[in-house]
Amino acid sequence: MIATGRANGKIILMGEHAVVYGEPAVAIPFPAASIETTIKQTSGPVMLDCVFYNGSLAQAPDRLLSLSTVITSTVTELQQPLTNFSITIESTIPPERGMGSSAAVAVATIRALYNYFDQPLSTAKLLELTHISEVIAHGNPSGLDAAMTSGKEPLYYKKGQPNEAFPLQLNAYLVVADTGVTGKTREAIESISLLRQTSPVQTEEKIHYLGELAKRAKVAIETNRPVELGQYMSRAHESLSFLGVSNEILNDLVEEALAAGALGAKLTGGGRGGCMIALASDEEMANQVAQALLEAGAVNTWVYRMGDESFDD
Ligand SMILES: C[C@@](O)(CCO)CC(=O)[O-]
């Protein structure tokens, strides 16, 4: 017996971190990068094969705690024995780069387990089980990554509220660049939480401002105003830097993108490494920006026409 489950990556256009505190965020699925989990019938203990580890689930290293916990929780939920199958995870989402790899691995694996045991899986149950893994990975997840990696539509997302899908009616291109440095989402979230205690007024102001920018970004997208969206993105990067979740390489790449003609640029996701994004008015500018980012040290870039179903490598 064999079964599979899939999930895609995600890109946060606006609102990361502020979304944890109830502000809105705008995010899109990232189909160029995805995860597939395969479950096969075997005999004996559950075996796990992924990029970081190949061995028995029981002896998986600490860095895989969120994954191993979600596997045991899902099998418990399904009231099945934790034995006699193997789990293989294949991913094209660069891990720990702000593209939602931790949520995507959980989503793909939960789906695969439900398929393997031939049980229906509701969206609510999928998100509930993914949340268990995200709490271990991030400490205080907003649920945005789980919603994006399990869905196919761009979302205007607010924690605890029904998802609001909206079409990307924007005539522009997005360039995504990987710094090659692993992001530190948990640390970044903890540092904002500390800042809320030490400088509550300024921190709350920035968080609220990031939410305001996300609201304006949604309107700019709906009314096809890429220049405005670019400005909001750059302002969001400044606020995220103020909150301490950027770093030198992200700031350098943002500057390079702007110097190469981008309409705006910012970090995306948890920050302190990972990826940045830049907005370009047309394909030529997008390729120019991508080239400049590679020359400035990005290890990979993707160019995406807003509203397209697929990304080009
Ligand atoms: C930093 C954050 O806003 C996005 C991480 O991809 C955390 C979260 O929303 O759970």
Side-chain angles (χ1 to χ4, degrees):
M1 205 159 56
I2 183 163
T4 59
R6 281 197 188 80
N8 45 259
K10 65 99 203 337
I11 294 293
I12 301 178
L13 289 181
M14 296 287 277
E16 51 274 274
H17 287 289
V19 70
V20 170
Y21 299 100
E23 296 293 340
V26 179
I28 57 177
F30 188 66
S34 61
I35 288 187
E36 182 169 279
T37 298
T38 305
I39 315 276
K40 280 193 194 123
Q41 190 172 13
T42 56
S43 57
V46 174
M47 303 300 283
L48 177 63
D49 184 2
C50 65
V51 65
F52 298 117
Y53 176 72
N54 188 352
S56 78
L57 178 67
Q59 278 160 13
D62 280 355
R63 75 179 296 183
L64 294 180
L65 184 64
S66 57
L67 174 61
S68 52
T69 306
V70 87
I71 293 167
T72 46
S73 305
T74 304
V75 173
T76 306
E77 177 71 32
L78 284 161
Q79 300 180 343
Q80 295 291 336
L82 193 59
T83 185
N84 294 341
F85 62 87
S86 69
I87 303 176
T88 306
I89 296 169
E90 284 174 324
S91 174
T92 56
I93 306 180
E96 297 170 36
R97 300 295 216 288
M99 284 190 194
S101 62
S102 68
V105 90
V107 166
T109 305
I110 296 161
R111 282 178 169 156
L113 285 165
Y114 269 77
N115 284 340
Y116 181 76
F117 290 110
D118 201 18
Q119 291 297 315
L121 173 62
S122 68
T123 304
K125 185 54 75 184
L126 174 63
L127 296 180
E128 181 191 315
L129 288 165
T130 306
H131 187 73
I132 296 173
S133 144
E134 287 290 273
V135 168
I136 297 171
H138 294 169
N140 184 15
S142 66
L144 175 62
D145 288 12
M148 293 316 305
T149 56
S150 61
K152 294 262 169 255
E153 290 175 307
L155 289 186
Y156 181 71
Y157 180 89
K158 261 187 127 176
K159 190 176 176 177
Q161 291 193 10
N163 292 340
E164 199 183 313
F166 72 101
L168 285 177
Q169 290 155 339
L170 192 77
N171 208 353
Y173 282 73
L174 192 73
V175 181
V176 181
D178 182 358
T179 61
V181 178
T182 53
K184 290 159 190 72
T185 304
R186 173 179 272 276
E187 264 178 39
I189 288 178
E190 282 170 1
S191 117
I192 293 187
S193 159
L194 193 67
L195 213 56
R196 281 179 90 226
Q197 289 163 32
T198 53
S199 317
V201 177
Q202 279 169 309
T203 308
E204 286 306 329
E205 250 174 43
K206 290 289 178 202
I207 289 174
H208 184 65
Y209 182 55
L210 283 165
E212 189 53 41
L213 289 172
K215 281 183 205 155
R216 291 189 210 167
K218 177 178 184 264
V219 177
I221 290 169
E222 284 169 341
T223 52
N224 190 20
R225 283 185 285 179
V227 174
E228 270 178 39
L229 177 63
Q231 286 163 356
Y232 300 147
M233 286 168 63
S234 296
R235 284 188 216 162
H237 185 75
E238 279 167 27
S239 292
L240 289 163
S241 300
F242 177 90
L243 291 173
V245 299
S246 189
N247 68 2
E248 211 177 314
I249 178 153
L250 283 166
N251 293 342
D252 285 351
L253 292 185
V254 164
E255 270 178 36
E256 287 294 336
L258 296 175
L263 303 175
K266 64 184 277 292
L267 67 83
T268 182
R272 297 200 174 176
C275 288
M276 55 79 65
I277 53 175
L279 194 70
S281 53
D282 56 41
E283 193 171 7
E284 195 184 335
M285 185 197 279
N287 289 332
Q288 205 172 296
V289 169
Q291 188 55 37
L293 291 171
L294 287 170
E295 281 164 19
V299 296
N300 201 0
T301 57
W302 296 260
V303 170
Y304 168 65
R305 191 165 72 81
M306 291 290 223
D308 251 11
E309 289 299 303
S310 61
F311 285 75
D312 294 331
D313 231 328

